[in-house]
């Protein structure tokens, strides 16, 4: 049974001020109702004035998604009553959105490139936020700091085929938005999703207001199972709106939802039609994720996997490009396969570690001064210090303090000789064809050097020494 999913994504644009007034959008650390004025409080007689930057951000997205910008778009009033909606209507774009017909490439479930069609993008204002008072209170509070924050609503065609694909679409979209510099992915609630989902031939269900990427995949996975079970039991899926209960991982029916015609949309008489199509040609886009991924493969000779991982976040890609000159392949392995894991484990972001330190570490590895194993130890000590708020020590200092310089020369030879001399039985076993005995001897040397020797090198030298000793 084919799963059919379409998304409506609301993205908070990271402009400095709100969509129709000069109030600052930087309210996260301030008290409720401290970033408000007559416009975003919807007081009588207050008039909206469109934020040019928000329009420019919307156009950047439209261009990046290869969309057609309408010659003339229009703001409309969407009328409904809710305490978080100060004016009794939301200013949005309805009949004539900012742009239509775009595309975004993602990976499908088999790892192939796939094009998801974008239906439209339009600008609208965010409503305020209700704060439900816990502890038996019989009232709620309302905070209008969010009222009037610019949103870009991005609507897709029903081109997604699984909850996993939906998550990948959102990840890719977020990456593009971050590259464009129009969105702050770290901001809580900065991206909210309504998801439409149906099984082929059945009615469609809309799951409203999911506020995390993981939530989208979870809500959709729940819906696939719920709808399949209904059909299996010979029941029909009801066309309805449902809410996602994040904590319980389930969706529940939300009755009494307005139909589109109940909103009584009409053009907002306070705002003139928007003619910005001519502006698009002059907008310069930065290098976008797909182009950067391809360049990484070409310029640095990276695998598709490494290139994809490293360009998944613009800050990570910048970080990689700072350390790549040491040795592109070595840098890719250490950043994508080792550093990211160690950062995740400590709940740290890539910006927490200075690229110069990683460059120094890579230089030590490349010169053969330390082994991979010692490299991991150095990395962990650096990150632990960063995580604890201590200054990030230089790798060379850690190597010296911990005595991690690769065992070499006389030290190395005498260690191997000592281990061979101390284990005559294992030597004999190895000579009579038991490979396991060699592993044992290598293990003994590794133990003595505490990771300062390269196991492959030890293996080669132990084997060589035994064979030479025999001659
Ligand atoms: Zn305001
Ligand atoms: Mn909307």
């Amino acid at each position: 049974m084919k799963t059919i999913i379409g998304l409506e994504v609301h993205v908070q644009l990271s402009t400095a001020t709100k969509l129709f007034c000069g109030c600052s959008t930087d309210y996260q650390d301030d008290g409720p109702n401290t970033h408000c004025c007559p416009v975003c409080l919807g007081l009588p007689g207050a008039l909206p004035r469109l934020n040019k930057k928000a329009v420019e951000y919307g156009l950047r997205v439209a261009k990046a998604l290869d969309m057609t910008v309408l010659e003339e778009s229009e703001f409309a009033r969407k009328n409904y009553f809710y305490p978080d909606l100060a004016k009794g209507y939301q200013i949005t774009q309805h009949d004539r959105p900012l742009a239509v017909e775009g595309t975004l490439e993602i990976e499908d479930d088999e790892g192939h490139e796939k094009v998801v069609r974008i239906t439209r993008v339009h600008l609208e204002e965010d409503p305020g936020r209700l704060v439900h008072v816990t502890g038996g209170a019989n009232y709620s509070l309302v905070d209008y700091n969010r009222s009037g924050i610019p949103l870009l609503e991005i609507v897709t065609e029903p081109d997604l085929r699984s909850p996993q694909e939906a998550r990948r679409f959102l990840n890719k979209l977020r990456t593009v938005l971050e590259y464009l510099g129009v969105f702050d992915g770290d901001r809580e609630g900065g991206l909210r999703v309504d998801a439409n989902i149906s099984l082929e031939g059945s009615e469609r269900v809309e799951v409203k207001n999911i506020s995390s990427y993981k939530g989208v995949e979870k809500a959709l996975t729940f819906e696939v199972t719920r709808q399949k079970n209904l059909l299996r039991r010979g029941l029909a899926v009801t066309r309805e709106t449902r809410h996602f209960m994040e904590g319980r991982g389930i969706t529940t029916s939300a009755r009494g939802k307005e139909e589109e015609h109940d909103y009584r949309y009409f053009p907002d008489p306070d705002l003139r039609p928007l003619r910005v199509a001519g502006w698009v040609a002059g907008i310069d886009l930065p290098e976008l994720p797909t182009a950067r991924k391809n360049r990484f493969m070409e310029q640095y000779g990276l695998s598709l996997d490494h290139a994809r991982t490293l360009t998944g976040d613009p800050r990570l890609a910048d970080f990689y490009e700072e350390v790549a000159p040491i040795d592109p392949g070595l840098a890719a392995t250490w950043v994508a396969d080792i550093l990211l894991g160690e950062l995740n484990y400590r709940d740290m972001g890539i910006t927490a570690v200075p690229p110069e330190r990683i460059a120094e570490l890579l230089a030590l590895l490349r010169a053969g001064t330390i082994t991979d194993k010692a490299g991991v130890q150095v990395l962990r000590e650096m990150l632990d210090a960063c995580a604890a708020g201590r200054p990030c020590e230089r790798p060379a200092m850690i190597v010296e303090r911990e005595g991690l310089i690769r065992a070499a020369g006389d030290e190395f030879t005498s260690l191997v000789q000592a281990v061979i001399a101390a284990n005559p039985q294992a030597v004999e076993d190895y000579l009579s064809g038991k490979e396991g005995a060699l592993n044992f001897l290598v293990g003994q040397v590794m133990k003595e050097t505490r990771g300062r020797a390269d196991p492959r090198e030890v293996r080669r030298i132990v084997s060589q020494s035994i064979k030479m000793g025999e001659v």
Side-chain angles (χ1 to χ4, degrees):
M1 223 176 318
K2 196 152 104 177
T3 305
I4 300 167
I5 297 170
L7 301 177
E8 294 169 23
V9 188
H10 287 90
V11 173
Q12 282 187 348
L13 297 174
S14 55
T15 53
T17 54
K18 293 186 180 181
L19 187 54
F20 297 116
C21 62
C23 290
S24 152
T25 56
D26 186 18
Y27 61 79
Q28 305 281 342
D29 300 328
D30 297 333
N33 298 308
T34 50
H35 292 246
C36 301
C37 72
V39 172
C40 55
L41 287 173
L43 300 189
L47 288 171
R49 187 161 176 271
L50 183 59
N51 180 340
K52 188 174 176 184
K53 204 75 191 168
V55 178
E56 190 200 317
Y57 281 12
L59 291 175
R60 269 194 225 174
V61 176
K63 191 167 183 176
L65 299 179
D66 216 4
M67 304 187 75
T68 306
V69 173
L70 262 60
E71 274 304 321
E72 189 174 286
S73 62
E74 164 186 273
F75 285 99
R77 292 185 178 182
K78 178 179 180 177
N79 300 281
Y80 63 95
F81 174 77
Y82 204 65
D84 65 6
L85 191 68
K87 300 188 292 300
Y89 59 85
Q90 178 193 30
I91 304 179
T92 179
Q93 297 189 297
H94 189 247
D95 290 340
R96 294 192 287 165
L98 190 65
V100 296
E101 287 177 4
T103 55
L104 182 66
E105 255 183 46
I106 62 160
E107 255 181 273
D108 68 12
D109 288 338
E110 275 81 50
H112 302 303
E113 297 285 318
K114 152 173 188 163
V115 170
V116 177
R117 291 169 299 158
I118 309 294
T119 315
R120 55 185 273 156
V121 301
H122 69 251
L123 287 163
E124 63 185 31
E125 55 180 346
D126 214 348
R129 199 170 65 87
L130 285 185
V131 181
H132 300 290
V133 181
T134 52
N138 61 353
Y139 60 92
S140 291
L141 299 168
V142 59
D143 177 6
Y144 290 110
N145 279 351
R146 200 178 73 182
S147 172
I149 296 286
L151 296 178
L152 190 71
E153 182 170 335
I154 301 162
V155 182
T156 78
E157 291 290 307
D159 286 346
L160 299 161
R161 290 291 167 270
S162 71
Q164 295 72 32
E165 237 178 64
R167 180 178 41 82
R168 278 199 298 278
F169 173 85
L170 290 172
N171 278 333
K172 181 67 182 282
L173 180 64
R174 180 186 58 174
T175 306
V176 170
L177 296 170
E178 286 181 344
Y179 269 69
L180 293 171
V182 302
F183 173 67
D184 174 6
D186 295 335
R187 192 161 173 157
E188 208 186 315
L191 188 145
R192 303 191 297 277
V193 178
D194 300 338
N196 288 292
I197 174 165
S198 64
L199 299 176
E200 196 170 28
S202 283
E203 285 292 346
R204 169 161 68 90
V205 166
E206 185 178 23
V207 187
K208 279 288 211 192
N209 232 339
I210 318 169
S211 58
S212 73
Y213 309 88
K214 276 190 201 139
V216 171
E217 189 179 351
K218 264 200 235 162
L220 290 173
T221 304
F222 178 85
E223 271 304 304
V224 170
T225 310
R226 188 186 68 86
Q227 295 181 20
K228 277 188 179 161
N229 282 340
L230 282 174
L231 298 178
R232 206 169 286 140
R233 282 153 50 205
L235 301 169
V237 176
T238 315
R239 183 171 185 141
E240 62 178 348
T241 299
R242 298 179 71 86
H243 285 309
F244 178 53
M245 324 266 287
E246 182 101 50
R248 297 171 60 196
I250 63 166
T251 68
T252 56
S253 184
R255 293 181 202 288
K257 158 89 174 113
E258 300 88 345
E259 298 284 331
E260 274 298 282
H261 63 254
D262 292 330
Y263 289 123
R264 290 291 187 269
Y265 287 99
F266 64 89
D268 192 313
D270 292 339
L271 290 155
R272 302 177 63 193
L274 199 56
R275 294 195 194 90
V276 288
W279 189 2
V280 183
I283 288 178
D284 284 326
L285 294 185
E287 187 182 34
L288 293 172
T290 305
R292 201 167 193 188
K293 179 193 77 189
N294 292 335
R295 178 168 65 78
F296 274 24
M297 290 167 67
E298 208 163 286
Q299 180 178 346
Y300 300 118
L302 302 191
S303 68
L304 177 62
D305 261 1
H306 274 162
R308 227 178 230 155
T309 305
L310 292 170
T311 55
D313 175 327
R315 288 163 300 188
L316 178 61
D318 290 345
F319 186 97
Y320 172 74
E321 295 216 78
E322 284 203 48
V323 302
I326 305 285
D327 180 324
L330 188 71
T333 303
W334 275 80
V335 175
D337 300 341
I338 302 170
L339 175 61
L340 281 187
E342 296 290 334
L343 287 170
N344 276 339
Y345 174 71
R346 290 167 181 77
D347 209 12
M348 292 164 76
I350 190 70
T351 49
V353 44
E356 314 85 77
R357 292 290 178 267
I358 300 300
E360 285 174 40
L361 175 62
L362 290 171
L364 291 173
L365 287 159
R366 188 165 198 275
T369 312
I370 56 173
T371 63
D372 287 358
K373 194 164 177 226
V376 172
Q377 190 184 333
V378 171
L379 182 64
R380 287 181 178 158
E381 293 208 14
M382 277 199 296
L383 296 182
D384 284 341
C386 290
R390 293 197 303 271
C392 193
E393 218 177 340
R394 297 188 54 170
M397 304 277 288
I398 300 172
V399 167
E400 200 185 305
R401 191 184 65 229
E402 303 290 323
L404 293 173
I405 292 190
R406 180 197 286 263
D410 292 348
E411 185 198 3
F412 192 73
T413 323
S414 55
L415 264 169
V416 170
Q417 292 310 329
V419 166
I420 289 175
N423 297 281
Q425 185 59 48
V427 170
E428 204 172 302
D429 286 350
Y430 175 56
L431 286 171
S432 62
K434 288 184 191 153
E435 278 294 314
L438 180 61
N439 292 338
F440 170 77
L441 292 167
V442 171
Q444 295 301 305
V445 178
M446 293 304 292
K447 214 162 99 187
E448 290 294 320
T449 61
R450 297 189 339 271
R452 290 185 298 120
D454 173 17
R456 267 170 312 183
E457 202 185 336
V458 172
R459 198 178 174 82
R460 190 172 54 78
I461 297 194
V462 170
S463 159
Q464 237 172 36
S465 308
I466 292 176
K467 284 175 181 159
M468 273 163 60
E470 199 194 15
V471 178

